[in-house]
């Protein structure tokens, strides 16, 4: 069995980053809620357990606690922030509210060596970390010793090398702790004894075997959205079962310029995957007529997608539905509902999968994060023009046109967006940006173009960088680049007479224009 680490989630916004860092070290890991069945935790077969951070206070009553089984399995345990405090309280230490809160960058002074920091941090050194706490440990449990302090935490790091229990007051998973990923790798490799053999090539082989075992001689139908997730899932499944797979591409008329043609060419001509291309643009736009509320748009698009998809799927005698569900979707659905989500993922989990379809799910990517899906696509030999494509939401242009969606507005935005991306590619910036897009604002302004006045729309441009897909910061274009893009859009796209650049950044959460 593959070496594995288990992460118990206490509600931190960045728990997924712990898994990302450990996987980057070549070790497979999964996340379960802190209150999972103790038998499930024990049967997971973890070689080490990580307790995540969280928003609660250990001092308060009725707050999350790690189950006792965590400390009875004989495996290493690493507590991070709230996880450190919860470990401390469970094992007989004391946690108190601090008068000196620490939020943001801080320095940890290493006071002693331990297995967690072996070969990385040494006694007498100090290192930058990222803190986010109000409470702090004030008395260690029996058997523990302090190995690091900070200005606001006398036990910023503690260790019990005999039981292999460790606690960190700071967050090693975030990029603001420069050596944090190495600490997590140390925990996985040196403390828990895991190898580094979890690779995308190994995952590919295992996934193909699992798909063949699950599907047997059955037929699979896959809904293509044109995005990375469903595309990689389709190519992987086709490698496993060949023509037992049929893809249905529901073209809702809300894609970017040329994307529909690219999907059809790639899957029908290049990969020779059986493909049904359903052009339903008129149907979708008709149902969106007069609708302005963004959530109502999503629901209409989701329901209409299922309606069109189901009509074609019923003709195929399929027994399985393939979805490009990713691991963050699994985590969020389990955290929110206590069970897996049964939805059409390519449209942001709106609408749901009707029970009448009676199809079992094939979700070969449900163990992967977004960047891992891209790696798998490259492992499968897929073109980087698709694998490296910026994320694009299922509802497409509909949520980038605040207000009513009309064919005219879609055409205007599609042209402006194409100019913007063309300039980004020409400048060699596409791969440095996580997501870039144009938005057609629901306002019109008076302008002068040549010798005449115009009364046209305002176009907003957005570009963000992200290392994890959870947080985002505006990309720092120089003024000359933005001015050049604006000039091209105003000159080439009829219906726009003003362009603005949006510099809003996002905290953890979605980074799409909502």
């Amino acid at each position: 069995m593959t070496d594995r680490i288990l992460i118990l989630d206490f509600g931190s916004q960045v728990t997924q980053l712990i898994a990302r860092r450990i996987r980057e070290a070549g070790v497979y890991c999964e996340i379960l809620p802190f209150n999972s069945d103790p038998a499930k935790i024990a049967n997971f077969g973890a070689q080490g357990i990580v307790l995540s951070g969280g928003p609660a206070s250990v001092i308060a009553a009725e707050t999350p606690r790690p189950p006792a089984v965590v400390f009875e399995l004989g495996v290493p345990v690493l507590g991070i922030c709230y996880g450190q405090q919860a470990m401390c309280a469970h094992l007989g230490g004391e946690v108190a509210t601090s008068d000196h809160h620490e939020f943001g960058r801080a320095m940890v002074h290493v006071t002693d060596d331990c297995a967690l920091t072996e070969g990385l941090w040494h006694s007498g050194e100090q290192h930058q970390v990222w803190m986010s706490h109000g409470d702090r440990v004030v008395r260690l449990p029996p058997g523990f010793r302090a190995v690091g302090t900070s200005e606001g935490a006398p036990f910023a790091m503690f260790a019990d090398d005999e039981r292999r229990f460790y606690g960190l007051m700071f967050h090693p998973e975030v990029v603001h702790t420069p050596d944090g990923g190495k600490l997590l790798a140390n925990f996985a490799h040196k403390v828990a004894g895991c190898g580094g053999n979890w690779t995308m090539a190994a995952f590919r082989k295992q996934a193909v075997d699992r798909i063949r075992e699950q599907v047997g001689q059955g037929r699979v139908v896959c809904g293509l959205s044109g995005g990375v997730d469903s595309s990689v899932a389709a190519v992987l499944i086709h490698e496993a079962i060949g023509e037992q797979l049929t893809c249905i591409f529901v073209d809702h008329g809300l894609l970017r310029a040329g994307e529909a043609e690219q999907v059809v060419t790639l899957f029908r001509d290049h990969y020779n995957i059986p493909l049904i291309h359903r052009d339903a643009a008129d149907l979708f736009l008709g149902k969106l007529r007069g609708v302005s509320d963004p959530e109502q748009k999503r629901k209409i698009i989701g329901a209409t997608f299922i309606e069109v998809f189901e009509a074609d799927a019923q003709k195929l005698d399929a027994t399985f539905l393939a979805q490009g569900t990713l691991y963050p979707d699994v985590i969020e659905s389990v955290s929110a509902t206590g069970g897996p989500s049964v939805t059409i993922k390519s449209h942001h989990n709106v609408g749901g999968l009707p029970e009448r379809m009676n199809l079992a799910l094939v979700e070969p990517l449900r163990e992967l994060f977004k960047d891992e899906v891209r790696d798998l696509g490259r492992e499968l030999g897929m073109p980087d023009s698709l694998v490296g494509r910026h994320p694009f939401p299922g509802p497409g242009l509909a949520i980038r046109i605040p207000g009513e969606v009309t064919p005219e507005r879609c055409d205007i935005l599609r042209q402006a967006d194409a100019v913007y991306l063309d300039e980004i590619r020409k400048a060699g910036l596409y791969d440095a940006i996580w997501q870039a897009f144009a938005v057609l604002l629901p306002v019109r302004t008076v302008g002068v173009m040549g010798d005449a006045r115009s009364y046209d729309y305002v176009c907003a441009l957005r570009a963000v960088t992200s290392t994890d897909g959870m947080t985002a910061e505006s990309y720092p274009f120089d003024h000359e680049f933005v001015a050049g893009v604006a000039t091209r859009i105003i000159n080439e796209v009829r219906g726009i007479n003003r362009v603005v650049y949006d510099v809003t950044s996002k905290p953890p959460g979605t980074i799409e224009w909502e």
Side-chain angles (χ1 to χ4, degrees):
M1 183 176 68
T2 303
D3 293 341
R4 48 178 50 195
I5 296 291
L6 176 63
I7 301 165
L8 293 184
D9 181 21
F10 288 88
S12 169
Q13 296 184 85
V14 290
T15 297
Q16 292 183 23
L17 293 185
I18 304 173
R20 286 284 309 283
R21 302 295 171 252
I22 293 174
R23 289 189 181 189
E24 286 168 1
V27 179
Y28 181 72
C29 63
E30 290 187 17
I31 300 171
L32 291 178
F34 75 93
N35 57 354
S36 296
D37 184 345
K40 185 174 184 179
I41 294 173
N43 293 333
F44 181 80
Q47 288 180 244
I49 295 175
V50 179
L51 309 178
S52 84
S57 171
V58 171
I59 300 168
E62 305 298 324
T63 52
R65 293 291 191 274
V69 68
V70 168
F71 306 103
E72 298 168 353
L73 291 172
V75 301
V77 180
L78 172 63
I80 295 174
C81 197
Y82 180 87
Q84 183 214 41
Q85 297 168 18
M87 173 194 290
C88 176
H90 181 88
L91 296 175
E94 183 181 351
V95 177
T97 298
S98 172
D99 293 331
H100 188 121
H101 296 181
E102 287 182 306
F103 295 96
R105 288 182 174 86
M107 299 302 294
V108 162
H109 301 270
V110 182
T111 58
D112 205 351
D113 297 326
C114 68
L116 181 65
T117 58
E118 182 183 341
L120 186 62
W121 290 359
H122 305 93
S123 180
E125 297 177 349
Q126 63 176 9
H127 294 271
Q128 178 185 306
V129 299
W130 186 263
M131 292 282 194
S132 181
H133 69 92
D135 299 340
R136 64 180 179 179
V137 175
V138 295
R139 179 171 56 83
L140 291 177
F144 283 86
R145 60 193 172 89
V147 294
T149 67
S150 71
E151 187 176 349
F155 304 109
M157 301 169 62
F158 61 57
D160 179 341
D161 280 321
E162 183 175 345
R163 288 183 290 181
R164 297 183 295 171
F165 292 168
Y166 302 89
L168 304 176
M169 190 67 262
F170 57 88
H171 288 272
E173 66 271 32
V174 300
V175 296
H176 309 293
T177 300
D179 291 328
K182 295 177 182 178
L183 281 174
L184 291 170
N186 256 17
F187 176 75
H189 294 308
K190 294 186 177 181
V191 178
C194 295
N197 56 0
W198 193 75
T199 64
M200 204 46 63
F203 176 86
R204 173 185 179 180
K205 184 180 183 304
Q206 293 168 2
V208 166
D209 291 342
R210 285 198 299 263
I211 293 166
R212 287 173 179 164
E213 181 179 357
Q214 178 186 6
V215 173
Q217 299 302 310
R219 295 195 62 81
V220 180
V221 60
C222 176
L224 278 181
S225 67
V228 176
D229 305 338
S230 63
S231 298
V232 172
V235 173
L236 179 64
I237 294 169
H238 185 254
E239 178 174 288
I241 61 172
E243 293 197 358
Q244 290 171 246
L245 168 70
T246 299
C247 292
I248 298 175
F249 173 40
V250 178
D251 183 357
H252 51 29
L254 300 166
L255 293 173
R256 286 172 154 163
E259 286 193 338
E261 294 80 4
Q262 291 171 13
V263 171
V264 173
T265 299
L266 181 65
F267 286 89
R268 183 177 288 165
D269 299 339
H270 181 74
Y271 283 106
N272 199 29
I273 297 177
L275 174 69
I276 297 172
H277 177 203
R278 184 64 60 225
D279 184 351
D282 291 343
L283 174 65
F284 278 85
L285 290 171
K287 291 195 174 187
L288 290 170
R289 187 176 298 117
V291 178
S292 297
D293 180 74
E295 282 307 305
Q296 191 177 355
K297 290 181 194 175
R298 285 183 178 276
K299 291 177 181 177
I300 289 171
I301 292 168
T304 307
F305 173 85
I306 290 174
E307 174 189 326
V308 177
F309 181 86
E310 184 181 11
D312 283 315
Q314 287 178 337
K315 304 171 186 176
L316 298 174
D317 193 29
T319 50
F320 296 91
L321 170 69
Q323 290 188 183
T325 308
L326 303 191
Y327 194 47
D329 303 311
V330 176
I331 297 167
E332 289 164 9
S333 62
V334 170
S335 299
T337 66
S341 176
V342 188
T343 50
I344 298 292
K345 186 260 175 188
S346 62
H347 281 266
H348 275 221
N349 294 329
V350 290
L353 179 63
E355 291 184 7
R356 64 179 180 272
M357 290 181 71
N358 195 30
L359 297 174
L361 290 177
V362 178
E363 299 173 305
L365 310 182
R366 63 183 286 116
E367 299 173 1
L368 302 182
F369 289 99
K370 186 77 172 187
D371 61 328
E372 293 171 331
V373 173
R374 297 187 195 280
D375 290 342
L376 177 58
R378 295 183 181 100
E379 174 69 25
L380 290 164
M382 297 176 67
D384 206 62
S385 58
L386 175 60
V387 173
R389 181 177 292 172
H390 291 175
F392 192 61
L397 301 180
I399 58 168
R400 293 179 180 165
I401 301 177
E404 183 181 6
V405 180
T406 67
E408 177 202 19
R409 291 178 178 176
C410 286
D411 288 341
I412 292 172
L413 178 57
R414 195 175 283 115
Q415 293 176 57
D417 188 75
V419 169
Y420 182 33
L421 293 182
D422 181 54
E423 287 295 307
I424 287 175
R425 288 190 175 95
K426 285 179 177 177
L429 300 175
Y430 190 84
D431 292 337
I433 296 170
W434 170 265
Q435 189 180 45
F437 53 85
V439 178
L440 193 67
L441 299 182
V443 294
R444 302 177 82 174
T445 64
V446 175
V448 176
M449 300 181 70
D451 296 323
R453 290 190 179 278
S454 66
Y455 181 57
D456 288 318
Y457 291 105
V458 176
C459 174
L461 305 178
R462 187 153 201 235
V464 295
T465 59
S466 178
T467 58
D468 48 46
M470 297 171 63
T471 59
E473 293 183 349
S474 299
Y475 186 83
F477 289 128
D478 58 41
H479 175 75
E480 184 178 353
F481 176 85
V482 176
V485 174
T487 298
R488 271 198 66 186
I489 289 174
I490 292 171
N491 285 344
E492 298 177 24
V493 183
R494 293 181 61 85
I496 294 175
N497 68 0
R498 194 175 302 275
V499 176
V500 298
Y501 181 60
D502 168 37
V503 295
T504 304
S505 294
K506 289 278 188 180
T510 180
I511 59 172
E512 292 172 2
W513 184 283
E514 296 290 337

